Amino acid sequence: MASIAVIGGTGALGKGIARRLVKAGHDVTIGSRSAEKAQATAEELGAAGYAANADAASDKDVVIVTVPHSSQGDTLALIRDKVGDAIVVDTTVPLVPPKVMRVQLPAEGSAAMQARAHLGPDVKLVTAFHNVSAHHLDSDHAIECDVLVFSDDIEARKAVVDLCPGMGLRGLSGGSLGNSAAAEALTSILIYMNKTYKADGAGIRFTNLTEAPAIP
Amino acid sequence: MASIAVIGGTGALGKGIARRLVKAGHDVTIGSRSAEKAQATAEELGAAGYAANADAASDKDVVIVTVPHSSQGDTLALIRDKVGDAIVVDTTVPLVPPKVMRVQLPAEGSAAMQARAHLGPDVKLVTAFHNVSAHHLDSDHAIECDVLVFSDDIEARKAVVDLCPGMGLRGLSGGSLGNSAAAEALTSILIYMNKTYKADGAGIRFTNLTEAPAIP
């Protein structure tokens, strides 16, 4: 079992991810701008600990960042000197409110490449969890959605793929860090489909894979 | 039934699309740079006609463009004054050989926006068929892959979504033309998965949609 911080762990996505990591038996620390809010969520989920974001990011195996795009830069700047050798999993989708159903990738190509710029070249950076509906994560039911995982660090990528089954999810490698653009863009399509096809959290499944991990 | 030209209809993707349109009963014209090559494919598929690309594009209900990204601009320039009121379906994925497993979207954001620039503002432009494996299309078997359809022209988009069931495919609207970036980027992920997970033409299915078209 791993020691994992969820930065922004009181938000919808962070709380959902944290719930499933706790259930999988990991040592989870809820991070938030306010340690008080973090405490309430940690108690609700039965998480091992809570802290303000920067403190939560220290001395962990994995640090999962679940903040809105508008807070991505500030949050990564806050934790970059704390994370050490931890794997940092950025979940940021570069939505541009109010037109969140429109794909509007940043000039850098992806929020992943923005994260790389914020963190510098030495942090072990992975991106994942772009397409899974937060409210499905924050539940006990099965989730009909694959998790795409991107990184230029093959070991770190594999570690995050391997976290998924315990969370009730199938993780799939999507390749290099820059490929994150595909999953980030897809989120706007899924939001569009929620409205257009009356979906309660549309998801995606990859088909025809003969050697992929089993669907949990 | 519609009169449909498949520009680049002797290539792998074009031939696969044409095969399924012929089977659905449409009046299909195979276009190619060489009318002779077009004739051979038309005869093989039992298509109604064949012609050089520019001639094939005239007087049709739908003109489907299936050429490599490197030929997209020249091909669209060739047909733009021929298509009139037809719906032009661009299938271009902006792969950058040899690194086709890397998402490398163009500065315009997508091949779709490049197509719009090539065709001008008045052509009815839709993009689709980015994610379906050509060799699955060029067969009679069931295809485990949804087709995302993008356009700013809602009627034209619906017409292309409605073409799909006859081809044995589920078409889904993905929203505005610029959203095509998501499907274009996803193609590199699917190529990556073909290699990584030993897939014979990886595909995608959208899940949890309650009011979507049935899977044929």
Side-chain angles (χ1 to χ4, degrees):
Chain A
M1 294 297 106
S3 66
I4 305 178
V6 181
I7 305 301
T10 58
L13 179 63
K15 190 182 163 204
I17 288 174
R19 177 185 296 279
R20 288 182 177 251
L21 290 169
V22 169
K23 200 174 169 199
H26 296 291
D27 177 347
V28 176
T29 300
I30 303 294
S32 180
R33 277 175 299 181
S34 140
E36 195 174 55
K37 280 185 69 180
Q39 180 176 10
T41 300
E43 287 174 358
E44 181 189 336
L45 301 181
Y50 62 90
N53 281 328
D55 295 330
S58 302
D59 300 314
K60 296 296 184 297
D61 299 319
V62 180
V63 176
I64 305 181
V65 179
T66 65
V67 298
H69 189 223
S70 55
S71 303
Q72 183 198 29
D74 287 350
T75 304
L76 295 179
L78 191 71
I79 67 167
R80 68 172 277 175
D81 296 328
K82 309 284 185 179
V83 296
D85 277 340
I87 296 169
V88 174
V89 184
D90 190 278
T91 67
T92 307
V93 175
L95 300 176
V96 185
K99 297 202 169 178
V100 296
M101 297 193 299
R102 278 184 186 261
V103 177
Q104 298 178 79
L105 294 172
E108 294 87 340
S110 59
M113 298 314 287
Q114 293 180 310
R116 173 54 79 201
H118 290 303
L119 290 171
D122 297 329
V123 169
K124 291 180 190 168
L125 175 60
V126 175
T127 72
F129 302 111
H130 308 91
N131 301 134
V132 189
S133 156
H135 83 273
H136 286 313
L137 284 166
D138 198 7
S139 79
D140 292 320
H141 60 244
I143 296 180
E144 281 296 315
C145 188
D146 291 331
V147 172
L148 288 169
V149 182
F150 305 94
S151 184
D152 295 330
D153 180 324
I154 293 172
E155 269 186 54
R157 190 170 69 204
K158 182 173 185 312
V160 176
V161 166
D162 290 346
L163 269 183
C164 291
M167 300 170 72
L169 296 163
R170 180 167 75 164
L172 294 172
S173 172
S176 59
L177 187 67
N179 280 5
S180 187
E184 296 173 24
L186 200 52
T187 299
S188 288
I189 309 297
L190 293 170
I191 297 171
Y192 170 84
M193 287 194 174
N194 286 344
K195 184 177 176 197
T196 304
Y197 296 116
K198 306 284 184 285
D200 177 27
I204 46 160
R205 283 283 188 212
F206 288 83
T207 62
N208 294 342
L209 313 182
T210 57
E211 295 191 0
I215 292 173
Chain B
M1 294 297 106
S3 66
I4 305 178
V6 181
I7 305 302
T10 58
L13 179 63
K15 188 182 165 205
I17 288 174
R19 177 184 296 278
R20 287 182 177 252
L21 290 169
V22 169
K23 199 176 170 199
H26 296 291
D27 176 347
V28 176
T29 300
I30 304 294
S32 180
R33 278 175 298 180
S34 141
E36 195 175 55
K37 281 185 68 180
Q39 181 176 12
T41 300
E43 286 174 358
E44 180 189 337
L45 301 180
Y50 62 90
N53 281 327
D55 295 330
S58 301
D59 300 315
K60 297 294 184 298
D61 299 319
V62 180
V63 176
I64 305 181
V65 180
T66 64
V67 298
H69 189 224
S70 56
S71 303
Q72 183 198 30
D74 288 351
T75 305
L76 294 179
L78 191 71
I79 67 166
R80 68 172 276 175
D81 297 328
K82 309 282 185 180
V83 296
D85 277 341
I87 296 169
V88 175
V89 184
D90 190 277
T91 67
T92 307
V93 175
L95 300 176
V96 185
K99 296 203 169 177
V100 295
M101 299 193 298
R102 279 184 185 259
V103 176
Q104 297 178 81
L105 295 172
E108 294 87 339
S110 59
M113 298 314 288
Q114 293 180 309
R116 173 53 79 201
H118 290 303
L119 291 171
D122 296 329
V123 170
K124 290 180 190 169
L125 176 59
V126 175
T127 72
F129 301 111
H130 308 91
N131 301 135
V132 188
S133 156
H135 83 273
H136 286 313
L137 284 166
D138 198 8
S139 80
D140 292 319
H141 60 244
I143 296 180
E144 281 296 315
C145 188
D146 291 331
V147 172
L148 287 169
V149 182
F150 304 95
S151 185
D152 295 331
D153 180 325
I154 293 172
E155 269 185 55
R157 190 170 69 204
K158 183 175 184 311
V160 176
V161 166
D162 290 346
L163 269 184
C164 290
M167 301 171 72
L169 296 163
R170 180 167 76 164
L172 294 172
S173 172
S176 58
L177 187 67
N179 280 5
S180 187
E184 296 172 25
L186 201 52
T187 299
S188 289
I189 309 297
L190 293 170
I191 297 170
Y192 170 84
M193 286 192 176
N194 286 345
K195 183 175 177 198
T196 305
Y197 296 116
K198 306 284 183 284
D200 176 27
I204 45 160
R205 282 284 187 211
F206 288 83
T207 62
N208 295 341
L209 312 182
T210 56
E211 295 190 1
I215 292 172

